[in-house]
Amino acid sequence: MRKVWKTIGTVLALLLCAVFAFALVCNLTIIIKGTLHPDTPPTVFGVAPMVVLSGSMSGTAQDHIEVGDLIFDTKADVNTLKEGDVISFMENKIVVTHRIIRIETAQDGTRLFVTKGDANNTEDEPITADMVVGLYRFRIPKLGDFALFLQKPLGMVIFIGIPVLAFIVIDILRRQRHKSREARENEQLRAELDRLRKSAAPPQDTQSGASENDTKA
């Protein structure tokens, strides 16, 4: 039973390291892409994570968004967007995530999307298809602040340090278990060799020794 718990602990530790490593790769990808292309939200495997900084989509709707949430967008097909969809778009180099309340057609035949935040009293200026950067999919409540912290130097140090420290601890424990097992096996081997030597030693002839002493005397 003890070995089972040790195995479970090792597996969980390895899984934790894998999760942290994956998150670290994603975080570095976001930072690098955000630096190289500051005008568009960075994506990881086609998904754009973003932190909500305003309460314009706050409310009681099923797909409401609150301040501090971490939201995820995927690439939007502008030809299939409809009223009620929540989209993210660029406005003055800022990403805005609002709901489509109306779709209009411009004089040149292009589609215009009129959006509005659920908690706002006024609608936004119409946007063109090229301004749309993603379609909102889901959110993780209140994880945005943590995501922002991870992009700071202290957060990066901690986030890198945890997986590395976990790996070092696992390796030390593994080496200690290996040394302890080797020590036990060596001790058992020495004990077995001593037993074999004692069993193979010839018996001493005490009677013959006594006779010789008597004769000499």
Side-chain angles (χ1 to χ4, degrees):
M1 189 64 182
R2 187 176 179 181
K3 291 183 178 180
V4 173
W5 282 111
K6 286 183 177 180
T7 302
I8 293 175
T10 302
V11 171
L12 290 177
L14 292 175
L15 287 175
L16 183 62
C17 288
V19 170
F20 274 113
F22 176 76
L24 177 60
V25 171
C26 293
N27 197 35
L28 289 175
T29 302
I30 291 172
I31 293 174
I32 294 172
K33 284 189 173 182
T35 303
L36 296 176
H37 306 284
D39 295 334
T40 57
T43 60
V44 181
F45 304 113
V47 179
M50 292 176 285
V51 180
V52 180
L53 302 177
S54 74
S56 61
M57 283 296 292
S58 179
T60 58
Q62 185 176 2
D63 53 356
H64 71 101
I65 303 171
E66 304 297 333
V67 175
D69 290 351
L70 183 65
I71 66 172
F72 298 87
D73 283 13
T74 57
K75 186 177 181 180
D77 183 355
V78 294
N79 295 317
T80 61
L81 292 176
K82 60 185 183 301
E83 293 183 13
D85 286 341
V86 178
I87 61 173
S88 298
F89 56 91
M90 298 299 299
E91 184 179 62
N92 298 324
K93 297 185 178 181
I94 298 176
V95 181
V96 179
T97 302
H98 282 172
R99 191 183 305 278
I100 298 175
I101 60 172
R102 190 169 64 255
I103 299 178
E104 300 176 347
T105 303
Q107 293 182 352
D108 60 358
T110 58
R111 304 179 83 196
L112 297 176
F113 303 96
V114 181
T115 60
K116 175 181 172 296
D118 290 353
N120 291 350
N121 296 323
T122 58
E123 60 187 37
D124 308 317
E125 291 292 328
I127 63 171
T128 56
D130 62 318
M131 298 171 65
V132 178
V133 296
L135 176 65
Y136 166 73
R137 292 299 185 180
F138 65 98
R139 69 184 179 113
I140 301 180
K142 304 305 179 183
L143 192 61
D145 294 336
F146 180 66
L148 289 177
F149 171 72
L150 292 181
Q151 296 182 12
K152 296 179 180 179
L154 178 60
M156 290 291 293
V157 170
I158 295 175
F159 209 61
I160 293 173
I162 290 177
V164 172
L165 181 61
F167 178 80
I168 293 174
V169 170
I170 292 173
D171 187 63
I172 291 174
L173 293 176
R174 182 183 62 82
R175 291 175 182 273
Q176 287 181 343
R177 287 198 299 268
H178 182 69
K179 289 181 178 179
S180 297
R181 185 168 60 251
E182 279 190 341
R184 288 195 301 270
E185 291 175 353
N186 291 335
E187 183 65 27
Q188 292 174 357
L189 181 60
R190 284 195 294 269
E192 181 65 16
L193 290 175
D194 289 341
R195 186 186 67 79
L196 291 175
R197 281 196 295 266
K198 291 178 180 179
S199 62
Q204 295 181 355
D205 190 353
T206 55
Q207 294 295 330
S208 175
S211 176
E212 291 178 358
N213 291 336
D214 292 345
T215 302
K216 290 180 181 179

